[in-house]
Every structure is written in C-alpha cells, then in structure tokens.
C-alpha cells in the first residue's frame, strides 16, 4: 500500500527536523505509543497500541531513521509485530520551508500489513493510516 | 390368515419433508464441536502471517510456560508423519511435499507452523500468541499469470517456472475447424477464486486408546472411508483399528472432499499425549486455509461459420493451484476440459492447461469443480458469437444443440452423453418466461433509455461420479439393508450425506421396495466402524450411485424375504408387494414383519438359505450421468448506481427422475445462490504479498436471502439409462446453470453501450464505471 501526502508544521525546517528526531517528542506524538527507547544510532525500539476496526493489540517494533540530510530530508523505516499481525513501513520525508515561516513535510512511502490485520482490517487500513499520520503531525505542531 | 394391505401409494417421487430436519432445526444434532471426551485437550495452530518466508527459528519457551499448556509441537516433531496426500495424478505432475507442519519455510498465509495443546481452548490461543517465530520474509507471487512470467518469485525454489504441470487434450481436427471458419471469436474469461464457506467450519476430535492401539477420529468430512485410508497411511496405523466418524456435517460444497493437515495432526497429537484432543477451525482460518474454488484464467477461441454453426473450440487454461496440492487440486481443471463441448454438436476441441503454483491456499473441488468454469466460458463464447453474427442467442443455441436422435453422443473430449433433449428444455424455459414478448419489451425499454438484459445459459453437466476407471479412488458405492427381527429397517450407505437429504430419499426407496412405513426405516452413514467401505459424497453422486447400490441391495433382500415367505406359506410361488408375501393360489398372505421374525428365530430355514435378513451391494456405474438445463435471467441495470436488479429467473432442469422434488428444489435453489454469488458478489482477493484481504464476511460478500430472486423452476424428465432409478444427480446443476445466465443477462443489458464482456464478479462499482465510462 502506498502512503503519500503532505502535512504542515508551524516551525522552520531545522526545528521541524530536530523534533522528528527527538525520541521523547516522537513518543508523545506517535499515536498509541507506550514506549520509545533509543537502542542505537538513529534506532529506537517501540511499543505501541494499535486499533484497527474491531481489532486492537500491542505492537513491538523498531524505528530506524536513516539517510539524514538535515534539514531537507530523512528516511524512516518502521517495523512492528504483535498478536494482530505485523506492519512494515518505509518512506522518505522531505521538508520544505514555507513562506509563513513554517515547513511543509512531504512523505512518500510503502506500507505493508499482514496477519489478522490484513485479513479483517484491510478495508480500514488506508483511512486508519491517514488518520494516524494526521494525528502525529497535529501533536508535533503543538510542541 | 389374510392381512390387510396398508399402503399402495408409492413414496418415490413425492414431495416429502426431510427426516433429518427435526434434529437440525431443534439444535440437537451433534457436530464435531459438540463432542466432548474425558480429559480432552484443545489445540490451536500457529500459522504463518507471511505469504512466503524462511523460518529462521521458533521459540516456544514463553508459550510452554503458560499454566495449562500441555504440549507444543513444531515441524521437527512431525517428520515421521506422512505429508498431505494428493490423490490426483497427471503425467509429469510436480508434487511439493507438504508436511502437516512447516519445515524450514512457509509458502502461504495460514501455513501451519506449530501447534499448541492446552487444557482449554482459550489458554491454547493465548499460548499460541506467545510462540515466537523468526521469519526471513521473501517475495511472494499470488497472480497466476504473473507467476508464469520470467523472473517471477518461485513458490518452490526447485521449480522456478512455478509450473506444476502441463496438460494437453485434443479431439477431432482443430486446425481444419479453424481453417474452415468464417468467424473466430477470441476472449479472455476469468473465473475468480471463491471461498466455499460451509456454514460449519472444519473440526477434528481425535482419541487414541493406547491399550487397544486404536484411534477414533471425528472429523467434518464428505469422505469418511477415503479419509480413514489416507490418514491411517499418514499416521502409520492399521486401518481396522482406526474408526473415523463424520458426525453431523454442516455443509461442505467440496471443501470437505479432502484430507487436511489438521486431521493427521490431531491424530499425531492424541497418540503423542495419550489424551483426546479437539481442534475447531475458526471462521478466519476457514477463509485462509480451507481450499478455495475456481481460480481460472481462460483464453477461449471459437471457430464458426457465418450461419452460426460452431466448428471448434480452443482453450488455454491457466489454473491457479495455490501453494501445494490438496487431495484433487491438479485434477479439477481436467474436468473443465472434459466439459468443453457443452451441449453443442461440434467435435473439434483443443485444450492446453497449465497448472500454476502461487503463494495462496490451494484450490480444489468447489460445487461444480471445473464444470462451472467451463460452462461459463462456453456460454459466454456462444453469446459473443451470437453478438458478432447479430443472431439471437436462443437461435444460435438451437442451431448447435446435439439432437435427441444423436444419443448416445460421443464428445470430442471422450465422454459419452447418455440421453437428452436439449432443445426441449430451452424451449420450455422460453415459453415460461415469454421470450419473444420479452425481446419486444427490451426493445421498448432500450428506446426509453433503460438497460434491460436477457441472459440465457444452456448447460450440460458431468456427474454421478463415476465409473471407477475415471476416478482416482473408485467410483462405485455401497449399501447395506438390515431388516431387524421386528421388521424395522436399517439402511447403511457408503455415501456421506451432509445436507443432501438421503436419510429421507433413501428411506423413500426402501419404503417402496419393502412396503414398510417411512418411519420404520433409518439411514445410517459416516461411521467407518458401522458402514461398509464407501466412496463418499461429491460430484452429484449420492443418489445416482449410492441410490442404485441401495436399490440392488433391496432386490437381493426381497428375494430372501420371498424364500422365507414361500416356506412359511407352504406355497409353490409367492408374490411380494406392499410388504406382503402372497400365495396367488390360496390367497394366503404373510407380512414382512412376521417373515423377519421367522428369519432370525430360524426354527426352520428355506433350502440353501441362511438365517437373518441382511444384504450388501457394491454397485459400479457404467457411465457418468449427464443432467442439463436452460436458465434464463431477466435483469435491469440502474445507470445511476450500477446496481443490478434480477427481474425474473426461470430454470428448467433435466435431472432425470426425481425421488423427492422438495429435495431437488432445495439443491437447485442453493446451487443457484452459489452461482449468483460468483456472478455478482464473491471474490477471494490476495494482495501481492500473499495476504488474503477478503478474509471475513465484512470483506467477502456472501449471497443472502434478501439478495436472491424468486426462482421459477420447472423440469423436463429424461430418465438416465445408466441406472435403474433413472436419476442423474442435482447437487451441482444450479451452480453451473446460474452463473453464465446472470452474466449474459447483464452483458446483454449493457450491449447497447458497446460492452462485449465483463469479468466476474459484476460489482456495482464495475458496472457503474462501465455505464458512466461509456457515456463520456
């Protein structure tokens, strides 16, 4: 499944970039995130609760931030699995300054789900992904 | 002493309610799920969430630590258990070894990886979640045409072309047919994967009695005896110490004409832990791991003369087999090839079949098994030819039908059609629906801008499976009749009815032959410890093969009854009618009940006659039977919503003699519902990674009562010459006839917009896009 879109953050690109690399803030902004711990250079372990249609369950996963080009772009790879299945996401986030002093974040990537989530939640996954991304940027905006 | 004759009226042919229904509708029937054994454990299976992956490791430590867990098994524990059996064979067939638990890799979502056994089902499910499997995910392929493309991921590394087999069949002179043709019609036609969705999912209870070295296994199956033979081989136990019971079975539709990994796995577990074990398939598992049906991509080419005479048919058939072979997987598309000539009088065919591995659950027999795919293709091609030649689709069928004086009719595919009058069924259907008038109404509707369609399908079917040489495991059937000392009658059938109603129709046959009340007869089946070996239920064979076996067993027992009657009446000759032996000279009579008592008391025996009244017959049919029919559907498409309304549905089916028309209606209605399901709504969809994304009823559209049209059903009756009952088989007819009639009707409705063909299912979205695309 392709995931692409844009979001606006009310900060200049440098600050927006740093926010998205800060594990404390990421933990607050990622919907359902229960723990995010640094496990290596730009690598974090993640515990989150995922709700999809009639399913909900805990996910253990990891997040890797690679190809850093501060403040222009970076790549994020997320992998997680739990009782209700697994998910994988891989995408590039590009930051462009906007006239109003803010930043436009353009994201473009691929996501894959499997297990029970794929079997019973597929029709919801696209909308759910959009909603989670929207919430993520909304939370970051108020930092 | 004269007795009164109590009943002369025959029961065969009457619309009788089913004897099996009271227990079903009061919820007192016993399904596998209802069976409980002392100390019984519960199994839950850990399954692959990936379409293709290598297994790097399995860690069961956490799961094993959960209180209540009694055992966990993985692939390394079951290497001595036989792999899943494929009963079909084709020249050069590649058969992957499919172990009952995965070894070093998985190749479809749902592939069993480990099994957790616990004191209750919920503990087992929780523990299954704690089993950690480390997968190295590899690329999957789920589309059969993509799987054939060079460079596609290999489902099995040893066969990088993903080709399980190539099968070619030809008849007549296909090159000449195409050389002589004025018109050649080409079309790619798909028959999408369908989920059989029996109301009862699969389930197994297995119990090993160590002291007797005996296994009892309850399983929801259509083939108890064959399953026992196969499972005994897999488990390495003696067949006679293995009692397999199919209790009440809540539907199968072919999905239980199989022997699955879980059946052997439960046998293995109970022998290992020395306790009974139960596994009940969840609905989600049923979607993912029970076989699916259809899965064809067909390329048809039809050669014809300009006057509408069909000359020959070419087919390239791509069968999506899935990841490995279940019992009959590779054989199903060969049935499509057999049915290629349909009801038509052309004798040139050529079929190239390629069986393709994909990272999906296997396909196998699903109601119709190969024949619906073929019939849909042929009936679409006939309509395409009619459209090309601007002929009426009924007229082109009349022109090409095999005529009544041509029977027995040898087809280009090697079948021998036994009997029929194909024109008569179509004519009757057209008369019932008022065809000529309908075409006028359609012209008026079109003039008013409405999208009205009339669709015809004239189908033939190959059923009553079948002569033994044409089947993988014998095509005969067995029956035993036991007249008890009181004259009550117990019938054993080797078939395994699970909704078809033979407890009723077989009692009707026995009641008529023996002259005893229906209520004095019970029909038993599905228990290998009680019933002589039988083949089982599939291919519309219960009545058409099991029925004659019973009929002949009844003839044998009647002979014995007459011998006792003659002795007891001290007569030279006796007649036997309506349960009474009569000496025509003296008029003296004696009832079957009295005779039964005397046969078991055995104070005196007729010459060369043993005590008791039991007869067993194994009956071998000399040919298949060939039902046929004509279905016509009138539909209207809503331009604004893409919705399809079925306005009328007329079905005229010739299934030979009917033992119980109520049962016939039930079979035809259910079959039509499944056929319309394929035409309009149902589709198993896999994504590119092998995830089944239509894995529950929210995403997989099943036909419901409110979506069904009223079916105006009628019949012609051409008794089958193959068996003494003149019956042909009706289990699959509705599924085969309905689908192309529906699709032809909608395409006829849209033909004014230039629509020539649409692949199933005809969803509202697809139709709306066609209608509105055509507008633009």
């Amino acid at each position: 499944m392709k995931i692409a879109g844009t979001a606006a953050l009310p900060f200049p690109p440098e600050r927006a970039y740093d926010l998205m690399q800060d594990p404390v803030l990421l933990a607050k902004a990622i919907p359902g995130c229960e723990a995010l711990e640094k496990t290596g250079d730009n690598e974090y372990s993640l515990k989150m609760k995922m709700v999809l249609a009639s399913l909900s369950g805990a996910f253990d996963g990891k997040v890797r931030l690679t190809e850093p080009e501060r403040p222009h772009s970076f790549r994020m790879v997320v992998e997680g699995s739990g009782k209700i299945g697994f998910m994988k996401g891989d995408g590039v986030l590009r930051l462009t300054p906007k006239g109003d002093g803010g930043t436009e974040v353009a994201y473009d990537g691929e996501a894959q789900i499997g297990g029970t989530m794929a079997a019973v939640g597929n029709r919801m996954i696209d909308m759910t992904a959009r909603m989670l991304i929207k919430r993520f940027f909304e939370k970051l905006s108020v930092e | 002493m004269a007795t009164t004759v109590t009943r002369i009226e025959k029961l065969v042919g009457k619309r009788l309610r089913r004897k099996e229904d009271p227990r079903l509708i009061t919820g007192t029937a016993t399904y596998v799920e209802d069976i409980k054994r002392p100390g019984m454990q519960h199994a839950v299976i850990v399954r692959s969430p990936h379409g293709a992956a290598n297994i790097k490791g399995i860690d069961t430590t956490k799961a094993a630590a959960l209180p209540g867990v009694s055992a966990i098994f993985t692939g390394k524990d079951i290497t001595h258990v036989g792999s899943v059996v494929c009963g079909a064979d084709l020249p050069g067939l590649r058969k992957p070894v499919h172990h009952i638990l995965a070894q070093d890799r998985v190749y479809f979502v749902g592939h069993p990886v480990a099994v957790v056994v616990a004191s209750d089902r919920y503990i087992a499910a929780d523990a299954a979640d704690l089993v950690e499997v480390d997968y190295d995910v590899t690329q999957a392929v789920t589309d059969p045409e993509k799987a054939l493309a060079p460079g596609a991921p290999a489902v099995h590394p040893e066969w990088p072309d993903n080709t399980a087999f190539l099968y070619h069949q030809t008849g007549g002179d296909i090159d000449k047919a195409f050389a002589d043709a004025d018109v050649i019609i080409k079309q790619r036609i798909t028959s999408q994967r369908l989920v059989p969705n029996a109301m009862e999912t699969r389930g197994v209870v297995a119990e090993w009695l160590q002291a007797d070295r005996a296994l009892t296994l309850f399983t929801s199956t259509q083939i108890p005896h064959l399953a026992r033979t196969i499972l005994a081989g897999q488990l390495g136990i003696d067949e006679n110490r293995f009692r397999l019971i199919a209790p009440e079975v809540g539907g199968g539709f072919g999905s239980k004409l199989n022997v699955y990994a879980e059946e052997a796995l439960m046998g293995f577990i109970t022998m290992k832990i020395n306790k009974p074990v139960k596994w009940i398939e969840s609905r989600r598992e049923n979607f993912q791991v029970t076989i699916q049906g259809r899965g064809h991509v067909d390329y048809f080419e039809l050669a014809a003369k300009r006057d509408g005479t069909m000359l020959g048919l070419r087919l390239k058939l791509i069968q999506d087999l899935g990841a490995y072979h279940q019992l009959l997987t590779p054989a199903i598309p060969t049935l499509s090839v057999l049915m290629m000539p349909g009801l038509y009088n052309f004798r040139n065919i050529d079929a190239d079949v390629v069986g393709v591995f994909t990272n999906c659950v296997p396909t196998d027999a699903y109601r119709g098994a190969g024949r619906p795919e073929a019939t849909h293709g042929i009936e679409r091609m006939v309509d395409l030819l009619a459209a090309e030649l601007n002929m009426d689709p009924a007229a082109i069928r009349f022109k090409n039908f095999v005529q009544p004086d041509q029977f027995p009719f040898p087809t280009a595919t090697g079948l021998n059609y036994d009997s029929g009058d194909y024109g008569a069924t179509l004519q009757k259907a057209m008369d019932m629906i008022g065809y000529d008038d309908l075409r006028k109404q359609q012209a008026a509707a079109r003039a008013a801008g409405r999208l009205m369609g009339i669709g015809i399908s004239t189908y033939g079917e190959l059923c009553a499976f079948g002569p033994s040489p044409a089947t993988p495991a014998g095509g005969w059937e067995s029956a035993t009749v036991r007249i008890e000392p009181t004259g009550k009658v117990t019938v054993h059938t080797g078939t395994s009815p699970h909704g078809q109603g033979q407890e009723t129709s077989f009692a009707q046959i026995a009641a008529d032959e023996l002259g005893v009340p229906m209520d004095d007869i019970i029909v038993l089946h599905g228990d290998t410890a009680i019933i002589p070996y039988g083949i089982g239920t599939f291919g519309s064979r219960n009545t058409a093969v099991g029925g004659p076996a019973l009929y002949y067993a009844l003839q044998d027992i009647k002979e014995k009854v007459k011998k006792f009657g003659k002795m007891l009446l001290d007569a030279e000759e006796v007649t036997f009618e309506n349960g009474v032996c009569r000496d025509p000279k003296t008029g003296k009579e004696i009832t079957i009940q009295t005779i039964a008592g005397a046969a078991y008391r055995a104070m005196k025996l007729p010459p060369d006659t043993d005590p008791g009244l039991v007869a067993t017959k194994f009956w071998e049919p000399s040919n298949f039977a060939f039902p046929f029919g004509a279905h016509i559907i009138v539909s209207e498409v809503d331009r604004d919503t893409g919705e399809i309304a079925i306005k009328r549905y007329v079905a005229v089916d010739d299934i030979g003699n009917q033992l119980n028309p109520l049962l016939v209606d039930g079979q035809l209605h259910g079959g039509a519902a499944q056929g319309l399901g394929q035409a309009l709504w149902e589709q198993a969809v896999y994504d590119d990674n092998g995830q089944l994304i239509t894995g529950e009823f929210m995403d997989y559209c099943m036909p419901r009562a409110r979506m069904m049209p009223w079916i105006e059903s009628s019949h012609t009756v051409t008794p089958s010459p193959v068996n003494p009952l003149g019956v042909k088989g009706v289990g699959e007819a509705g599924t085969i006839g309905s689908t192309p009639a529906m699709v032809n009707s909608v395409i006829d409705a849209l033909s004014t917009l230039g629509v020539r063909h649409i692949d199933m299912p005809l969803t509202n979205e697809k139709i709306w896009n066609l209608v509105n695309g055509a507008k633009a």
Side-chain angles (χ1 to χ4, degrees):
Chain A
M1 178 182 60
K2 194 140 182 71
I3 292 183
T6 59
L9 287 174
F11 322 110
E14 287 76 10
R15 178 158 161 70
Y17 187 94
D18 292 343
L19 284 176
M20 285 190 279
Q21 315 279 320
D22 179 342
V24 178
L25 291 182
L26 284 178
K28 279 163 80 176
I30 294 172
C33 181
E34 288 167 352
L36 187 81
E37 279 166 27
K38 198 172 165 82
T39 50
D41 266 359
N42 297 318
E43 217 175 274
Y44 307 91
S45 72
L46 170 77
K47 275 190 193 302
M48 69 179 278
K49 194 174 176 219
M50 177 96 175
V51 179
L52 176 67
S54 60
L55 296 170
S56 74
F59 269 83
D60 280 322
K62 46 181 191 191
V63 181
R64 267 188 303 135
L65 304 175
T66 61
E67 299 167 27
E69 302 239 2
R70 184 174 186 272
H72 307 295
S73 70
F74 65 96
R75 184 170 158 210
M76 187 189 278
V77 182
V78 187
E79 278 180 21
S81 64
K83 286 184 184 180
I84 62 170
F86 68 85
M87 61 166 177
K88 272 187 209 168
D90 187 343
V92 173
L93 291 90
R94 286 197 175 76
L95 290 72
T96 339
K98 291 207 300 182
D100 60 2
T103 301
E104 186 186 77
V105 183
Y107 52 91
D108 188 358
E110 282 284 335
Q112 209 196 97
I113 58 166
T116 312
M117 278 203 301
V120 309
N122 212 276
R123 71 192 178 281
M124 303 291 292
I125 195 73
D126 198 42
M127 290 308 296
T128 306
R130 276 171 217 264
M131 184 188 74
L132 295 177
I133 290 166
K134 187 162 166 268
R135 278 201 207 149
F136 172 77
F137 284 110
E138 278 170 6
K139 286 215 175 170
L140 271 189
S141 301
V142 299
E143 285 305 322
Chain B
M1 185 190 73
T3 350
T4 325
V5 174
T6 50
R7 188 170 59 73
I8 294 171
E9 192 187 29
K10 292 288 175 196
L11 296 180
V12 164
K14 282 185 85 83
R15 249 184 131 73
L16 297 182
R17 288 194 180 172
R18 300 199 309 175
K19 283 162 75 84
E20 43 273 78
D21 281 341
R23 67 170 188 268
L24 293 171
I25 59 181
T26 55
T28 48
T30 303
Y31 296 87
V32 174
E33 169 68 308
D34 299 311
I35 291 161
K36 294 183 178 68
R37 305 295 302 152
M40 188 170 75
Q41 302 290 296
H42 298 261
V44 166
I45 294 164
V46 179
R47 298 184 181 277
S48 168
H50 301 288
N54 294 311
I55 298 174
K56 290 195 287 183
I58 302 176
D59 186 349
T60 59
T61 328
K62 283 184 203 161
L66 200 69
V69 172
S70 45
I72 300 176
F73 301 102
T74 64
K76 65 178 173 10
D77 302 310
I78 54 82
T79 48
H80 64 288
V81 179
S83 55
V84 169
V85 169
C86 169
D89 214 355
L90 292 168
L93 177 66
R94 291 165 169 173
K95 289 187 178 180
V97 177
H98 182 70
H99 288 281
I100 61 170
L101 289 174
Q103 297 296 301
D104 51 354
R105 63 192 186 92
V106 290
Y107 33 77
F108 69 105
V109 169
H111 196 149
V113 171
V115 59
V116 177
V117 188
S119 55
D120 93 25
R121 193 173 170 180
Y122 302 96
I123 294 172
D126 285 347
D129 282 339
L130 296 175
V131 173
E132 288 170 3
V133 186
D134 190 5
Y135 293 104
D136 172 24
V137 180
T138 58
Q139 192 63 46
V141 62
T142 55
D143 176 296
E145 288 190 290
K146 284 184 188 162
L148 287 175
V155 176
H156 299 288
E158 61 270 43
W159 302 311
D161 60 3
N162 289 320
T163 301
F165 67 90
L166 298 170
Y167 173 80
H168 181 245
Q169 189 174 342
T170 193
D173 187 344
I174 195 70
D175 291 334
K176 184 173 184 314
F178 275 77
D180 291 348
D182 299 326
V183 231
I184 294 170
I185 308 286
K186 298 182 182 183
Q187 184 61 48
R188 175 186 188 270
I189 297 174
T190 60
S191 274
Q192 75 275 30
R193 267 183 180 256
L194 301 176
V195 181
N197 269 319
M199 199 181 291
E200 182 209 15
T201 60
R202 292 185 293 122
V204 183
V205 170
E207 182 170 18
W208 173 246
L209 204 55
Q210 176 64 47
D212 290 344
R213 288 183 292 124
L215 177 67
T216 303
L217 190 133
F218 299 85
T219 183
S220 189
T221 186
Q222 300 173 218
I223 45 168
H225 282 97
L226 295 178
R228 182 185 65 162
T229 302
I230 289 169
L231 290 167
Q234 281 182 272
L235 294 167
I237 55 177
D238 295 339
E239 201 173 359
N240 58 347
R241 292 172 188 272
F242 183 174
R243 178 180 188 182
L244 190 142
I245 301 170
E248 204 75 63
V249 172
F253 312 111
S255 73
K256 295 170 185 172
L257 161 55
N258 231 309
V259 183
Y260 287 94
E262 292 88 351
E263 292 169 313
L265 186 58
M266 294 309 124
F268 159 80
I269 291 171
T270 184
M271 290 166 72
K272 202 85 184 164
I273 66 173
N274 246 316
K275 285 179 184 169
V277 63
K278 176 190 271 188
W279 169 74
I280 299 293
E281 185 186 49
S282 72
R283 181 58 64 184
R284 283 177 195 160
E285 283 180 302
N286 184 261
F287 268 95
Q288 283 188 342
V289 304
T290 288
I291 62 99
Q292 297 178 354
R294 319 287 187 251
H296 273 216
V297 180
D298 296 331
Y299 290 85
F300 280 101
E301 290 184 24
L302 175 62
K305 301 298 278 184
R306 191 145 290 284
D307 69 356
T309 306
M310 294 195 273
L311 301 175
L313 189 64
R314 272 199 187 117
L315 167 64
K316 182 176 183 205
L317 192 169
I318 299 169
Q319 172 72 53
D320 174 358
L321 299 168
Y324 67 97
H325 304 313
Q326 274 290 344
L327 190 58
L328 298 169
T329 301
I332 307 303
T334 65
L335 293 174
S336 303
V337 173
L338 285 179
M339 288 316 294
M340 271 174 72
L343 301 181
Y344 307 109
N345 191 13
F346 62 86
R347 307 208 186 214
N348 309 300
I349 67 112
D350 186 82
D352 260 318
V353 183
V354 51
V356 187
F357 290 123
T358 58
N359 292 108
C360 305
V361 76
T363 50
D364 205 322
Y366 169 58
R367 205 168 189 176
R371 289 99 82 211
E373 297 91 318
T375 304
H376 181 65
I378 296 153
E379 291 304 292
R380 282 296 307 124
M381 292 306 289
V382 174
D383 263 32
L384 283 164
L385 177 65
E388 174 73 22
L389 299 175
N390 204 19
M391 281 178 77
D392 185 277
I396 203 161
R397 285 176 168 83
F398 282 120
K399 187 172 184 66
N400 286 285
F401 281 146
V402 174
Q403 297 302 309
D405 59 6
Q406 289 177 280
F407 293 99
F409 179 80
T411 74
T413 52
L415 298 175
N416 202 11
Y417 289 176
D418 58 13
S419 61
D421 186 345
Y422 304 150
T425 52
L426 178 55
Q427 190 58 53
K428 187 165 181 181
M430 289 168 70
D431 292 346
M432 281 171 69
I433 210 157
Y435 187 77
D436 296 338
D437 189 49
L438 264 181
R439 286 288 177 201
K440 284 177 200 147
Q441 288 175 33
Q442 184 185 35
R446 281 176 173 171
R450 284 162 48 211
L451 301 171
M452 174 182 166
I454 304 163
I456 298 175
S457 103
T458 45
Y459 73 91
E461 206 212 320
L462 162 71
C463 75
F465 281 52
S468 293
T471 60
W476 46 265
E477 201 44 85
S478 73
T480 296
V481 180
R482 276 183 6 214
I483 302 179
E484 314 290 359
T486 53
K488 306 289 179 187
V489 179
T490 305
V491 170
H492 297 171
T493 173
T495 68
S496 195
H498 49 280
Q500 294 81 2
Q502 273 78 21
E503 289 178 37
T504 306
S505 56
F506 282 10
Q508 289 174 264
I509 297 173
D512 279 0
E513 294 299 320
L514 299 179
V516 302
M518 274 282 276
D519 204 40
D520 281 3
I521 301 165
I522 61 161
V523 179
L524 301 179
H525 53 81
D527 182 344
T528 61
I530 298 174
I531 312 293
Y533 207 97
I535 301 298
T537 293
F538 55 88
S540 303
R541 69 189 305 282
N542 274 16
T543 302
V545 188
L550 172 59
Y551 176 84
Y552 286 119
L554 287 163
Q555 304 315 308
D556 287 352
I557 212 161
K558 273 160 67 175
E559 281 311 306
K560 194 165 181 186
V561 166
K562 281 166 80 173
K563 282 186 185 172
F564 274 99
K566 213 162 88 174
M567 177 194 77
L568 293 166
L569 291 174
D570 199 16
E572 280 169 23
E573 266 318 314
V574 290
T575 59
F576 179 68
E577 252 178 301
N578 296 311
V580 174
C581 267
R582 184 169 191 273
D583 181 348
K585 273 193 189 155
T586 62
K588 277 189 189 168
E589 294 180 346
I590 186 166
T591 66
I592 189 169
Q593 290 81 6
T594 311
I595 291 170
Y600 284 93
R601 181 65 186 85
M603 287 295 283
K604 194 179 163 200
L605 293 171
D608 305 322
T609 305
D610 300 324
L613 282 176
V614 180
T616 295
K617 182 75 188 176
F618 282 58
W619 185 72
E620 167 71 26
S622 59
N623 192 359
F624 296 101
F626 301 92
F628 56 90
H631 290 206
I632 305 181
I633 294 179
V634 183
S635 68
E636 188 158 342
V637 171
D638 186 319
R639 284 177 180 272
D640 297 325
T641 62
E643 284 170 296
I644 297 161
I646 302 173
K647 298 293 187 185
R648 283 186 74 188
Y649 187 153
V650 164
V652 178
D653 299 281
D654 192 320
I655 56 153
N657 290 337
Q658 301 186 10
L659 302 186
N660 182 337
L662 188 65
L663 297 180
V664 169
D665 284 354
Q667 288 294 321
L668 287 170
H669 288 182
Q674 281 178 308
L676 294 178
Q678 169 160 32
L680 300 178
W681 304 297
E682 298 183 45
Q683 183 169 27
V685 182
Y686 283 87
D687 74 8
D688 289 341
N689 302 311
Q691 303 293 336
L692 176 67
I693 59 176
T694 51
E696 62 166 1
F697 288 128
M698 291 290 280
D699 294 304
Y700 186 92
C701 184
M702 284 289 281
R704 295 167 200 196
R706 68 165 177 81
M707 294 145 86
M708 283 299 114
W710 182 257
I711 298 171
E712 301 165 56
S713 181
S714 187
H715 302 274
T716 58
V717 177
T718 318
S720 169
V722 175
N723 63 69
L725 302 174
V727 296
K728 292 180 176 173
V730 67
E732 296 155 297
T735 324
I736 295 169
S738 56
T739 311
M742 187 70 244
V743 174
N744 281 345
S745 181
V746 175
I747 292 171
D748 185 47
L750 301 183
S751 61
T752 51
L753 305 173
V755 172
R756 200 174 157 270
H757 178 74
I758 316 171
D759 272 326
M760 304 179 289
L762 309 182
T763 58
N764 295 352
E765 182 190 7
K766 209 181 272 182
I767 301 300
W768 188 90
N769 278 323
L770 278 168
V771 171
N772 290 278
K775 261 185 201 163

